[in-house]
Amino acid sequence: MNKCMHRSIVVKTSSIYFKLFFYTFPEITCVDSKTDLISFYIWQVKQEMASTQMTAEDILDESIEQAKSSVQSQELLNQAKDVVIANERIDKHGAATWPPLPGVLPQITLIGGVLTNKANGALSVMDEHKYAGHIVSVYPNPLQIAGRFALSALTTKGVKAAVVYSGKNKYDVKCGWLLAFADTKHAGRKIYAECGPKEKFNKIDWAHVERKLNSAGTVAKAYDVATGTALYARIVGSDDGAVGTSAAGAVFHG
C-alpha cells in the first residue's frame, strides 16, 4: 500500500494526535512517519503551553484581585451569612441552640471565585459536586468570558466543592475542565485541576477527586497534550475576623 495515505482516512482512523495535526496543518495530505508527526505535534503543543502559562499567570493575578474584592464586599458577606443561617437553621439573633452564646453568630467561611474563559467559545457546566458548604452564587453557566461564584459554610464544617465545564478547543474537539477547591479546618486551602477530552469526565469518581484535592496545594496547573487544553488555578485567603475568606481564580485554556 502507498505510504501516502488520504487525509480523510488518517482523520478517521488515527489517534487524536493525528486528528489535531491535520486540523493544524490542513495542507498536509499524507504521512510517512506517524512517530515523527506525533513528536512534532507534542513539541508544538508544549511550546504553545509555555506561552499560554505566561499569559495565564497575568490573568490569574487579576482574577485573584477581583475575587479578593468580591469576598470583602459587605453585600456578599451578608449573603454568605444569610445562606449559612438558613441552611444550618441558626437563629439570626443568636437565640437558637447554635451558637452556644446567645446573640453571637458562629464563624463563617466564604470562598469567592473568578473564572476566566480563554478556550474556543463559551463553556457550559457539565457536572458539579459539593462535599461541604452551601452555594451563595452559582457557577456562571454558560461561562462566556469571565464569571463569579461563591460558597459559604460554618467554619467548623468548611467549604469543599468541584465543578466541571465542557466546550470545544481550537481544533473543534469536545473537551472538559475540572476545578476542585476547598477551605476547611482539616485540609486548609486547596485547589486542584484536570483537563482533557470530554469523555474523560463522563463518569467522575468524586471520592478520587477529593483525595487528589486533599493532597493538593494552593496552586494548580493541569495540561493535556492530546487536546491542547490547560487549566491554571490559585487560592489565597485570610482567617481574620468573624468570616474567614478565600479568593480563588482559574483560567480555562483550549
Side-chain angles (χ1 to χ4, degrees), residues 107-174:
Q107 188 177 33
I108 289 173
T109 292
L110 168 65
I111 292 183
V114 173
L115 308 178
T116 304
N117 177 16
K118 289 295 181 180
N120 181 30
L123 303 180
S124 300
V125 173
M126 179 179 174
D127 203 350
E128 60 182 279
H129 189 80
K130 191 171 58 178
Y131 301 98
H134 312 288
I135 299 291
V136 179
S137 300
V138 298
Y139 302 107
N141 188 26
L143 177 58
Q144 300 280 4
I145 299 174
R148 301 169 185 260
F149 70 90
L151 292 90
S152 64
L154 291 173
T155 298
T156 52
K157 297 182 178 180
V159 173
K160 184 186 289 186
V163 61
V164 180
Y165 278 92
S166 64
K168 292 185 177 181
N169 64 6
K170 63 183 179 181
Y171 308 110
D172 208 35
V173 174
K174 293 180 180 179

